[in-house]
Amino acid sequence: GENVEQHPSTLSVQEGDSAVIKCTYSDSASNYFPWYKQELGKGPQLIIDIRSNVGEKKDQRIAVTLNKTAKHFSLHITETQPEDSAVYFCAASIEKGSTLGRLYFGRGTQLTVWP
Amino acid sequence: ETGVTQTPRHLVMGMTNKKSLKCEQHLGHNAMYWYKQSAKKPLELMFVYNFKEQTENNSVPSRFSPECPNSSHLFLHLHTLQPEDSALYLCASSQGAVRGLGTDTQYFGPGTRLTVL
């Protein structure tokens, strides 16, 4: 099955700086890559996703890049704010026509933004 | 809020107890999921229901028994659990499909923090 590796496990940045979280995947058939943010006491919330027909997607301060050849994808957060502090999870999945896709998650990155 | 609610939010039970976790979604979705989230480990998919039919059981021990009476409700019945079953149990829902479609966006509830003594 798919194996998703996520780094780093913890990340501390100063408010206003950028944060980058990286993930690699093993199954070249994977073509859907969502990112989730989990705040304390809450379930994971989808913040952005990308499909393999594009190399980059941006939504305000958040961007995701995908390198299919190298099988890695990254989350970029610019102008970080204290409320960005949370655990971030990457995931990978295969969109198939015949079965409901299954998400394979990374282990998560604890991001702390210091004021 | 995401439109997915879970009760109870916290549960402490002994190894001989029987309890149930409840999940309800108000999004009109047709697929529902149970995940286990343990410290330092990736989220583990446990069960998937699509249009009330179980489509996946990820080798989950029989002491966990899911039930999906309709597309809006999902239960996880627990009995004779072990201390290593202590974790956050997350429910999620997605649009789902009649003949499968691949991945659609999953919306998570807040989870039930389970402690097995």
Side-chain angles (χ1 to χ4, degrees), chain A residues 33-104:
Chain A
F33 307 94
W35 285 88
Y36 285 83
K37 175 184 180 182
Q38 187 174 22
E39 297 175 321
L40 200 62
K42 296 184 179 181
Q45 305 299 313
L46 180 74
I47 55 172
I48 195 167
D49 57 14
I50 191 168
R51 287 178 166 80
S52 59
N53 57 343
V54 297
E56 183 174 357
K57 185 176 179 180
K58 194 172 182 180
D59 183 4
Q60 299 182 335
R61 297 186 296 109
I62 294 172
V64 57
T65 58
L66 172 64
N67 184 326
K68 288 173 56 181
T69 303
K71 289 189 283 189
H72 68 70
F73 56 113
S74 300
L75 178 71
H76 304 253
I77 306 174
T78 58
E79 301 172 28
T80 53
Q81 301 166 3
E83 51 265 38
D84 294 329
S85 297
V87 180
Y88 291 81
F89 293 94
C90 63
S93 187
I94 302 169
E95 287 186 310
K96 296 178 182 175
S98 60
T99 59
L100 197 63
R102 175 178 172 172
L103 287 175
Y104 294 85

Side-chain angles (χ1 to χ4, degrees), chain B:
Chain B
E1 298 302 322
T2 63
V4 180
T5 59
Q6 291 187 243
T7 54
R9 294 294 308 276
H10 301 272
L11 178 62
V12 179
M13 58 187 290
M15 289 190 284
T16 58
N17 292 159
K18 290 184 180 181
K19 296 287 184 182
S20 295
L21 309 185
K22 179 182 176 182
C23 175
E24 184 173 1
Q25 58 91 5
H26 310 273
L27 302 169
H29 288 166
N30 298 296
M32 297 188 78
Y33 311 74
W34 279 118
Y35 286 88
K36 176 183 179 182
Q37 186 175 34
S38 306
K40 310 291 185 184
K41 295 175 70 174
L43 274 75
E44 300 172 55
L45 180 66
M46 300 175 72
F47 302 104
V48 181
Y49 280 83
N50 189 30
F51 284 79
K52 299 190 294 178
E53 297 297 321
Q54 188 178 124
T55 60
E56 183 144 359
N57 176 338
N58 192 26
S59 302
V60 180
S62 60
R63 57 186 184 269
F64 295 91
S65 175
E67 178 190 1
C68 188
N70 54 62
S71 293
S72 299
H73 294 86
L74 184 65
F75 295 89
L76 188 62
H77 304 299
L78 316 171
H79 63 96
T80 57
L81 294 191
Q82 305 298 313
E84 58 264 29
D85 297 322
S86 299
L88 181 69
Y89 288 85
L90 290 162
C91 172
S93 72
S94 71
Q95 189 63 44
V98 175
R99 287 195 292 177
L101 81 151
T103 307
D104 47 18
T105 301
Q106 294 181 25
Y107 296 86
F108 285 83
T112 295
R113 174 67 62 185
L114 174 67
T115 302
V116 181
L117 301 177

